[in-house]
Amino acid sequence: MRKALFAACCLVVTACKTAEPAPTPPAPPPPQEQPAPEPKPLPPGLDGSAINQQANPCDDFYEYACGNWVKNTEIPADRPRWSRGFDAIAARNEEVLREVLEAASTGKVVEGTPYAQKVGDYYGACMDEAQLDASLPALKAELAKLTVAKNAKELARVVGTMHARSVFPLFRLGSNNDFKDASQMIGEVDQGGLGLPDRDYYLKEDEKSKSLRTAYQEHLKNIFVLLGETPEQAAKSAASVVEVETALAKASLTRVERREPKNLYHRLERKGLKAEAPGFQWDVYFTAAGAKDLQALNVTHPPFFKEVERLAKSTKPETWKPYLTWQYVGSVIPTLPKSFQEERFRFTSENLTGAKADVTRWKKCVRFTDGALGEALAQPFIAKTFGVEGKTTTQQMVVEIEKAFERNLDTLAWMDAPTREQALVKARKIVNKIGYPDKWRNYDALRVERGSFLGSWVNAAAFEQARQLAKIGKPVDKDEWLMSPPTVNAYYNPPFNEIVFPAGILQPPFFNREATAAVNFGAMGMVVGHEITHGFDDEGRQYDAEGNLRDWWTPESDTAFRGRVACVKEQYDGYTAIDELKVNGALTLGENVADLGGLKLAHSAMEAWLAKDAEAAKQVGGYRYSPSQQFFLGYAQSWCSKYRDPFARQMAVMDPHSPPYWRVNGPVVNLLEFQKAFQCQEGAKMVRPAAQRCEVW
C-alpha cells in the first residue's frame, strides 16, 4: 500500500516540477484492521433459519419472522397445510402415541395405561386392513334396518336410532349448559344433516361453488355405485341427497349468525318443540334416540325445525332411503373397504384440501383412538412428555397475565366504573386448567371388538352419545375437559368461565424449557392472553362470572365496546385470504380481538416478569434481539404456516380464525409496543395511523 502511494505521488510531482520540492514526509503507518465483533447469539427458542434478513420487519413482520421458513418448507404430501407450531407438534405427539398403541395392540404391558386392552384392541382393529375389506356385508345389514322410512313414524324412529349412534341426519341432539343457568345441563337440538362442510357451499352461485357441488354429487354417485347400485340408480340417489341437504342448508343459520349467543338460545322444552314442529313424531324420535324422558330442551334455531317438519311431511320414502344411507355411510367411511376410503380421499383432496396423498393408516388409527379413548390414551402420553416444570411455569405465566389484565382494566378510559368492577369479578373467577384433568374419564361401558373396526367405531360413537345424554338434568361437571390432553390446542369455555391448556400444546415452539422467558411469553404467553381475552370478546363478554348469559354492561360501556370491535372488523375485512376471497371480519371477529388483546397482555406480563425476576432478565439479555423483539419473534414464529390453495379456500369460508399471515401482521400494526421494539416509523406498513389504530382490551 505504501509503495503504490509513493509512486503515484512521485509521478504527479515529476510532471509539475518548477522548483526544488520540499522534502516529502514519511507516509503514516496504515491503520490496524480491527477484528469484527462476534455476532451476538440467537436467543434460544427462536429459529434463525426461518428469518428472512432481507425483509424489513416494519414493512412485513410475518415475512421477516417466517419468510425463509415459508420459502424452504414443503407441505407433507398427506397434509392440507403445515405449520411450524400446531402441525409439527401434532406430528411429534402422534409418534409418541403410536409407540404406546403399537405396544398395547400386541399385548405388551404399557405402564400407566388404564384400559390398555381397549386402546390396544381399538387401534389393532383399525390397523387390520384385511378385516376392513370384509366389512361391507355388516354395513349393508345395518343399512337395511336403518334406512327404511315408509311413513313419518318410521322416519322418526330411524333418525332417532342413528342419533343414538352419533350419526346425525336432519339435525343434532346433545346436551349443553342452560345458557341462563350455567350450573345445569339440559338437552339441545341443533341444525345439521349436511354432507358438505358448510351451508354456504350449497347456496353460493359463484363458479367455484357450482363446480364443487357438481363434484360432490359425482362423489355421492360413486359411493352409491360402491354400495352396489347401477350408475343410473346411483345418479338418482345422489341427486336426492343433494336435494334434501340443500333444503336443510337454506333453513340453517350462517356461521356469522351462530356467533351471536342469543341467536342460539330458545328454551322451548319438549312440549314447545312439539308445538313448533308437530308434523315430526317427536315422542317416537326421543325414545329411539335414548332420551325417552327428556323434557328440558333448548332449540337453537326454531325455524330450522319447521323445515325438518316440512321435509318429514312432503318428502317421498324413496328420497329418504338414499339420504339416510349416505348419512350413515359417510360417518363410518374410515371403517370400510379401501375403495370407499380412496373415493372419499379423491373428492376431498381435489375439492377441499389439496392433499397429494392420503394419510397413512397408522396416523389415522392414532387419531381415531384418541377420539374414542382420549383420556385413557392420554395417561401414558403425559408420563412420556409432560414434566412438572411445564405445568408450574405455565401456571405462573397464567397468573402473571391475569394480573396484566387487571392492571390494564384501570387504563381503559372507555369503560365506566360499574362495568369495570363486573369485569374484574369475572376475571378473578376464571378457572385455569393446565396439562390434564384431575379426574379421568371412565370407559368401562365402552365395548371394543378386535375383530370389527366398524363395530368398535359404532360402539364408541354410541358410548359418547349416551355419555352426553346422561348429563341432562344433572349439575354441570366442572372437572370435565372438552379436549384430550394430547391435543395441540387451547380454549376458553364461556359457561364454565375457564381457560384450558392441554399438555399437547405445551411443547416447542409454544413452550420451550430452553427458551428465554421473552420467547416463551411471546409464544405460549400470547396463547394464554388470547384465551383470557376470549372471556371478554364480542361473544364471551355476554356471559357473567358464573357462566350465565346475562347483560352486565352499562349502556355507555356497551356502546363504546361495540365501536371498538367495529374497528377490528373493518380492519380484517380489508385483508385478502386467498385469490378473490376476503377475510370475513365478522366471522373472525372474536379470534382477532383475542389475538390483539392476548398479545398486548402477554407483553405487559413479560415486562413485569423480567422486572421482578433478575435471573430471567439476565438470561434474556446478551442476545441478538432485545426482550421485546424476542417476544414478537417468538409469537410470529409459532404461526409460520403454509396452506394448499383448496384448503385455504375452505378455511376462508369456515374458520373463525384469520389466516396465519394476518394473525401475525394484523395485531402488531395496532401495537405501540411492537413499533417501539423494532423502531418502526410513522408511515411504515406495520404502523397503522393513530386515527385508525384498533384497541379493545
Side-chain angles (χ1 to χ4, degrees):
M1 189 72 108
R2 290 181 66 185
K3 184 176 182 181
L5 284 171
F6 180 79
C9 186
C10 186
L11 287 171
V12 171
V13 169
T14 302
C16 303
K17 183 169 72 172
T18 59
E20 192 68 21
T24 303
Q32 294 292 320
E33 291 189 7
Q34 298 296 319
E38 288 288 328
K40 289 184 177 181
L42 192 74
L46 295 183
D47 181 0
S49 68
I51 296 173
N52 178 5
Q53 295 286 357
Q54 305 306 309
N56 184 341
C58 296
D59 285 341
D60 186 339
F61 186 55
Y62 182 89
E63 176 61 28
Y64 179 78
C66 297
N68 281 356
W69 185 93
V70 172
K71 177 182 176 182
N72 297 321
T73 298
E74 293 292 331
I75 303 174
D78 65 349
R79 299 272 185 161
R81 71 170 187 200
W82 188 251
S83 67
R84 183 175 175 270
F86 287 90
D87 295 311
I89 299 173
R92 295 199 302 266
N93 289 355
E94 286 175 353
E95 293 284 357
V96 175
L97 296 175
R98 180 191 191 186
E99 183 180 330
V100 172
L101 289 167
E102 291 284 357
S105 68
T106 55
K108 295 177 182 177
V109 176
V110 182
E111 189 175 347
T113 308
Y115 304 104
Q117 181 76 41
K118 290 188 177 184
V119 297
D121 284 348
Y122 196 90
Y123 179 79
C126 181
M127 290 294 292
D128 187 352
E129 295 192 78
Q131 174 259 113
L132 299 182
D133 287 337
S135 63
L136 207 50
L139 173 71
K140 289 184 176 181
E142 285 300 298
L143 291 175
K145 294 183 289 185
L146 292 172
T147 61
V148 176
K150 296 179 180 178
N151 53 51
K153 184 176 182 180
E154 286 186 357
L155 176 65
R157 178 185 58 78
V158 297
V159 168
T161 302
M162 285 195 189
H163 284 193
R165 301 182 183 190
S166 293
V167 180
F168 294 107
L170 291 181
F171 57 93
R172 302 183 68 86
L173 169 68
S175 58
N176 204 350
N177 303 74
D178 183 350
F179 285 22
K180 296 296 180 70
D181 181 3
S183 68
Q184 296 297 313
M185 296 297 291
I186 62 174
E188 183 173 271
V189 287
D190 193 11
Q191 67 188 42
L194 306 182
L196 287 171
D198 188 79
R199 48 120 30 215
D200 286 0
Y201 284 114
Y202 296 87
L203 307 179
K204 288 187 174 180
E205 291 301 320
D206 60 278
E207 290 306 313
K208 281 189 168 61
S209 296
K210 291 179 180 179
S211 176
L212 189 145
R213 287 197 291 272
T214 299
Y216 177 57
Q217 191 158 324
E218 182 68 18
H219 169 56
L220 295 177
K221 173 188 170 184
N222 294 341
I223 292 292
F224 284 110
V225 168
L226 290 173
L227 288 169
E229 292 188 2
T230 66
E232 293 76 16
Q233 290 174 316
K236 292 179 180 179
S237 295
S240 293
V241 172
V242 172
E243 180 183 356
V244 173
E245 291 182 355
T246 301
L248 294 171
K250 289 178 179 178
S252 299
L253 291 174
T254 67
R255 287 180 180 266
V256 171
E257 290 168 333
R258 289 177 64 83
R259 292 196 67 255
E260 173 53 60
K262 294 183 180 67
N263 287 346
L264 301 179
Y265 183 69
H266 306 89
R267 180 84 188 254
L268 299 185
E269 311 300 285
R270 180 167 173 163
K271 63 181 180 181
L273 176 61
K274 292 169 69 174
E276 188 77 20
F280 191 82
Q281 300 288 311
W282 292 107
D283 291 336
V284 173
Y285 161 76
F286 282 118
T287 298
K292 180 179 179 181
D293 299 322
L294 187 153
Q295 300 297 329
L297 191 65
N298 175 42
V299 181
T300 59
H301 183 45
F304 181 85
F305 291 90
K306 294 293 292 183
E307 179 62 16
V308 169
E309 177 193 38
R310 187 193 70 78
L311 288 170
K313 292 166 64 176
S314 65
T315 304
K316 298 177 181 178
E318 55 267 29
T319 299
W320 284 124
K321 184 177 177 64
Y323 173 72
L324 295 170
T325 297
W326 163 238
Q327 284 286 307
Y328 194 80
V329 172
S331 75
V332 298
I333 279 179
T335 73
L336 299 182
K338 194 173 183 180
S339 55
F340 285 82
Q341 297 179 55
E342 288 175 341
E343 169 56 26
R344 187 63 177 166
F345 170 73
R346 182 202 63 77
F347 168 71
T348 56
S349 64
E350 291 177 3
N351 298 280
L352 298 173
T353 69
K356 304 302 181 185
D358 201 0
V359 176
T360 57
R361 189 67 191 175
W362 75 260
K363 291 180 182 179
K364 290 182 180 180
C365 293
V366 166
R367 297 170 194 177
F368 298 153
T369 309
D370 181 55
L373 291 131
E375 290 193 15
L377 182 57
Q379 294 176 55
F381 173 84
I382 294 296
K384 288 176 175 287
T385 64
F386 191 61
V388 173
E389 181 184 350
K391 186 162 188 170
T392 301
T393 304
T394 305
Q395 181 62 58
Q396 293 170 343
M397 193 178 287
V398 169
V399 170
E400 200 62 59
I401 294 171
E402 288 174 336
K403 289 179 182 177
F405 182 85
E406 292 186 18
R407 291 194 303 270
N408 186 60
L409 276 177
D410 290 333
T411 71
L412 301 180
W414 60 268
M415 177 177 274
D416 58 28
T419 309
R420 182 179 294 110
E421 182 179 350
Q422 290 293 309
L424 186 60
V425 169
K426 179 173 181 176
R428 288 177 173 172
K429 283 199 171 186
I430 292 176
V431 175
N432 306 322
K433 293 180 178 178
I434 298 171
Y436 51 88
D438 294 326
K439 182 175 68 177
W440 295 101
R441 189 166 298 169
N442 184 305
Y443 293 98
D444 288 351
L446 172 54
R447 186 167 60 91
V448 175
E449 303 174 38
R450 182 61 180 254
S452 172
F453 187 50
L454 173 60
S456 294
W457 177 284
V458 172
N459 291 344
F463 167 82
E464 176 58 21
Q465 179 68 352
R467 193 182 73 84
Q468 293 294 335
L469 296 182
K471 299 177 186 179
I472 297 172
K474 298 177 182 177
V476 170
D477 179 5
K478 290 292 184 77
D479 293 325
E480 183 177 17
W481 282 47
L482 305 183
M483 291 177 179
S484 71
T487 303
V488 188
N489 212 332
Y491 65 89
Y492 171 77
N493 184 8
F496 282 40
N497 193 26
E498 65 179 7
I499 50 178
V500 184
F501 308 99
I505 197 174
L506 297 174
Q507 299 178 56
F510 287 107
F511 176 76
N512 187 337
R513 291 177 178 84
E514 307 303 321
T516 66
V519 172
N520 275 334
F521 266 98
M524 191 63 214
M526 183 275 168
V527 174
V528 174
H530 174 100
E531 300 306 338
I532 291 172
T533 306
H534 267 317
F536 302 89
D537 68 13
D538 62 309
E539 287 185 83
R541 78 178 187 98
Q542 299 185 54
Y543 296 83
D544 65 16
E546 306 302 326
N548 298 316
L549 187 63
R550 179 178 70 85
D551 188 0
W552 48 271
W553 292 64
T554 64
E556 293 77 14
S557 289
D558 177 79
T559 299
F561 177 88
R562 291 177 186 276
R564 287 174 176 269
V565 295
C567 174
V568 178
K569 177 186 178 300
E570 182 181 3
Q571 176 188 342
Y572 284 82
D573 276 338
Y575 294 151
T576 297
I578 179 174
D579 299 333
E580 82 287 359
L581 288 178
K582 292 287 188 179
V583 174
N584 186 333
L587 176 62
T588 60
L589 181 59
E591 300 296 337
N592 297 333
V593 169
D595 283 347
L596 178 57
L599 208 53
K600 178 183 174 182
L601 292 176
H603 188 272
S604 174
M606 177 204 69
E607 291 184 319
W609 182 289
L610 297 179
K612 72 178 184 180
D613 188 334
E615 185 60 34
K618 181 180 178 182
Q619 181 210 28
V620 168
Y623 290 114
R624 195 178 309 171
Y625 295 102
S626 71
S628 285
Q629 289 174 332
Q630 293 176 41
F631 171 90
F632 286 108
L633 284 167
Y635 167 62
Q637 289 198 338
S638 66
W639 292 100
C640 299
S641 305
K642 291 184 77 168
Y643 282 53
R644 300 190 191 277
D645 285 357
F647 189 68
R649 297 187 69 85
Q650 182 186 168
M651 291 299 97
V653 173
M654 296 178 54
D655 195 352
H657 304 84
S658 294
Y661 181 89
W662 295 118
R663 293 198 72 171
V664 173
N665 284 359
V668 301
V669 299
N670 295 300
L671 293 176
L672 296 176
E673 296 86 348
F674 172 81
Q675 295 157 29
K676 180 180 178 181
F678 288 93
Q679 299 179 327
C680 301
Q681 303 301 310
E682 292 293 331
K685 293 179 182 178
M686 292 288 97
V687 180
R688 278 171 75 86
Q692 299 176 21
R693 193 174 297 137
C694 299
E695 182 179 33
V696 184
W697 295 104

